[in-house]
Coordinates of all heavy atoms in Angstrom, one line a residue:
L2 N -2.5 1.3 3.8 CA -2.6 -0.2 4.0 C -3.9 -0.5 4.7 O -4.3 0.1 5.7 CB -1.4 -0.6 5.0 CG -1.5 -2.1 5.3 CD1 -1.2 -3.0 4.1 CD2 -0.5 -2.4 6.4
L3 N -4.7 -1.4 4.0 CA -6.0 -1.8 4.6 C -5.8 -3.2 5.0 O -5.5 -4.1 4.2 CB -7.1 -1.7 3.5 CG -7.3 -0.2 2.9 CD1 -6.7 -0.2 1.5 CD2 -8.7 0.1 3.0
T4 N -6.2 -3.5 6.3 CA -6.0 -4.8 6.8 C -7.4 -5.3 7.3 O -8.0 -4.7 8.2 CB -5.0 -4.9 8.0 OG1 -3.8 -4.3 7.5 CG2 -4.8 -6.3 8.5
E5 N -7.8 -6.5 6.9 CA -9.0 -7.1 7.3 C -8.8 -7.6 8.8 O -7.8 -8.3 9.0 CB -9.4 -8.3 6.4 CG -10.2 -7.9 5.2 CD -10.7 -9.1 4.5 OE1 -10.0 -10.1 4.4 OE2 -11.9 -9.0 4.0
T6 N -9.8 -7.4 9.6 CA -9.7 -7.9 11.0 C -10.7 -9.1 11.1 O -11.6 -9.3 10.3 CB -10.1 -6.9 12.0 OG1 -11.5 -6.5 11.8 CG2 -9.2 -5.6 11.8
D7 N -10.5 -9.9 12.2 CA -11.3 -11.1 12.4 C -12.8 -10.8 12.6 O -13.7 -11.6 12.3 CB -10.8 -11.9 13.6 CG -9.5 -12.5 13.3 OD1 -9.1 -12.8 12.1 OD2 -8.7 -12.8 14.2
D8 N -13.1 -9.5 13.0 CA -14.5 -9.2 13.3 C -15.2 -8.5 12.1 O -16.3 -7.9 12.3 CB -14.6 -8.3 14.6 CG -13.8 -7.0 14.4 OD1 -13.3 -6.7 13.4 OD2 -13.8 -6.3 15.4
G9 N -14.5 -8.5 11.0 CA -15.2 -8.0 9.8 C -14.9 -6.5 9.5 O -15.4 -5.9 8.6
H10 N -14.1 -5.8 10.4 CA -13.8 -4.5 10.1 C -12.5 -4.4 9.3 O -11.9 -5.4 9.0 CB -13.5 -3.7 11.5 CG -14.8 -3.5 12.3 ND1 -15.3 -4.5 13.2 CD2 -15.7 -2.5 12.3 CE1 -16.4 -4.0 13.7 NE2 -16.7 -2.8 13.2
V11 N -12.2 -3.2 8.9 CA -11.0 -2.9 8.1 C -10.1 -1.9 8.8 O -10.6 -0.7 9.0 CB -11.3 -2.4 6.7 CG1 -10.0 -2.2 5.9 CG2 -12.1 -3.5 6.0
R12 N -8.9 -2.2 9.2 CA -8.0 -1.3 9.9 C -7.2 -0.6 8.8 O -6.6 -1.2 7.9 CB -7.1 -2.0 10.9 CG -6.3 -1.1 11.8 CD -5.5 -1.8 12.8 NE -4.5 -2.6 12.2 CZ -4.5 -3.9 12.1 NH1 -5.5 -4.6 12.6 NH2 -3.5 -4.6 11.5
V13 N -7.2 0.7 8.8 CA -6.5 1.5 7.8 C -5.3 2.3 8.4 O -5.5 3.0 9.4 CB -7.5 2.6 7.2 CG1 -6.8 3.4 6.1 CG2 -8.7 1.8 6.6
S14 N -4.2 2.1 7.8 CA -3.0 2.9 8.2 C -2.6 3.8 7.0 O -2.6 3.3 5.9 CB -1.8 1.9 8.5 OG -2.1 1.1 9.6
V15 N -2.3 5.0 7.3 CA -1.9 6.0 6.3 C -0.6 6.7 6.6 O -0.5 7.1 7.8 CB -3.0 7.0 6.1 CG1 -2.8 7.8 4.8 CG2 -4.4 6.4 6.0
R16 N 0.3 6.8 5.6 CA 1.5 7.5 5.8 C 1.7 8.5 4.6 O 1.2 8.2 3.5 CB 2.7 6.6 5.9 CG 2.6 5.6 7.0 CD 2.8 6.2 8.4 NE 2.8 5.2 9.4 CZ 1.8 4.7 10.1 NH1 0.6 5.2 9.7 NH2 1.9 3.8 11.0
A17 N 2.4 9.6 4.9 CA 2.7 10.6 3.8 C 4.1 11.1 4.0 O 4.6 11.1 5.1 CB 1.6 11.7 3.9
K18 N 4.6 11.6 2.9 CA 5.9 12.2 2.9 C 5.9 13.6 3.3 O 6.9 14.2 3.7 CB 6.6 12.0 1.5 CG 7.0 10.6 1.1 CD 7.6 10.6 -0.3 CE 8.0 9.2 -0.7 NZ 8.5 9.2 -2.1
G19 N 4.7 14.3 3.0 CA 4.6 15.7 3.3 C 3.6 16.3 2.4 O 3.3 15.8 1.3
G20 N 3.1 17.4 2.8 CA 2.1 18.2 2.0 C 0.7 17.7 2.1 O -0.2 18.3 1.5
I21 N 0.4 16.6 2.9 CA -0.9 16.0 3.0 C -1.1 15.8 4.5 O -0.3 15.2 5.2 CB -1.0 14.7 2.3 CG1 -0.6 14.8 0.8 CG2 -2.5 14.2 2.3 CD1 -0.3 13.5 0.1
D22 N -2.3 16.2 5.0 CA -2.6 16.0 6.4 C -3.4 14.7 6.5 O -4.7 14.8 6.4 CB -3.4 17.2 6.9 CG -3.7 17.1 8.4 OD1 -3.3 16.1 9.0 OD2 -4.2 18.1 9.0
V23 N -2.8 13.6 6.7 CA -3.5 12.3 6.7 C -4.3 12.2 8.0 O -5.2 11.4 8.1 CB -2.5 11.1 6.5 CG1 -1.9 11.2 5.1 CG2 -1.5 11.0 7.6
A24 N -3.9 13.0 9.1 CA -4.7 12.9 10.3 C -6.1 13.4 10.0 O -7.1 12.9 10.6 CB -4.0 13.8 11.4
A25 N -6.2 14.4 9.2 CA -7.6 15.0 8.9 C -8.4 13.9 8.1 O -9.6 13.8 8.3 CB -7.4 16.2 8.0
V26 N -7.7 13.1 7.3 CA -8.4 12.1 6.5 C -8.9 11.0 7.5 O -10.0 10.5 7.5 CB -7.5 11.4 5.5 CG1 -8.1 10.2 4.8 CG2 -7.1 12.5 4.4
A27 N -8.0 10.6 8.4 CA -8.3 9.6 9.4 C -9.5 10.0 10.3 O -10.3 9.2 10.7 CB -7.1 9.2 10.3
Q28 N -9.5 11.3 10.6 CA -10.6 11.8 11.5 C -11.9 11.7 10.8 O -12.9 11.6 11.5 CB -10.3 13.3 11.9 CG -9.2 13.4 12.9 CD -8.7 14.8 13.1 OE1 -9.1 15.7 12.4 NE2 -7.9 15.0 14.1
R29 N -12.0 11.7 9.5 CA -13.2 11.6 8.8 C -13.9 10.2 9.1 O -15.1 10.0 9.0 CB -13.0 11.7 7.3 CG -12.7 13.1 6.8 CD -12.6 13.2 5.3 NE -13.7 12.7 4.6 CZ -13.9 12.7 3.3 NH1 -12.9 13.2 2.5 NH2 -15.0 12.2 2.8
F30 N -13.0 9.3 9.5 CA -13.5 7.9 9.7 C -13.4 7.5 11.2 O -13.4 6.3 11.6 CB -12.7 6.9 8.9 CG -12.7 7.2 7.4 CD1 -11.6 7.7 6.7 CD2 -13.9 7.0 6.7 CE1 -11.6 7.9 5.4 CE2 -13.9 7.3 5.3 CZ -12.8 7.7 4.7
G31 N -13.3 8.5 12.0 CA -13.3 8.3 13.5 C -11.9 7.9 14.0 O -11.8 7.5 15.2
G32 N -10.9 8.1 13.2 CA -9.5 7.8 13.7 C -8.8 9.1 14.0 O -9.3 10.2 14.2
G33 N -7.4 9.0 13.8 CA -6.6 10.2 14.0 C -5.1 9.8 14.1 O -4.8 8.7 13.7
G34 N -4.3 10.7 14.6 CA -2.9 10.5 14.7 C -2.1 11.8 14.4 O -2.5 12.8 14.9
H35 N -1.1 11.6 13.6 CA -0.3 12.7 13.2 C -0.5 13.2 11.8 O -1.1 12.4 11.0 CB 1.2 12.3 13.4 CG 1.6 11.9 14.8 ND1 1.7 12.8 15.8 CD2 1.9 10.7 15.2 CE1 2.0 12.1 16.9 NE2 2.2 10.9 16.6
A36 N 0.0 14.3 11.4 CA -0.2 14.8 10.1 C 0.3 13.9 9.0 O -0.2 13.8 7.9 CB 0.4 16.2 9.9

């Protein structure tokens, strides 16, 4: 899910069922979280 913010940025939320480490993807863009 990509959400436009008022300051011109884009907030990205990522979820997976399994088999993909989305935390590693988020870290590429300065974010993070859970697998």
Side-chain angles (χ1 to χ4, degrees):
L2 175 67
L3 302 108
T4 304
E5 277 189 321
T6 66
D7 291 335
D8 61 5
H10 290 88
V11 178
R12 191 175 64 253
V13 180
S14 299
V15 193
R16 300 291 185 271
K18 291 178 179 176
I21 308 163
D22 185 356
V23 298
V26 174
Q28 285 171 353
R29 291 183 54 178
F30 303 110
H35 301 291

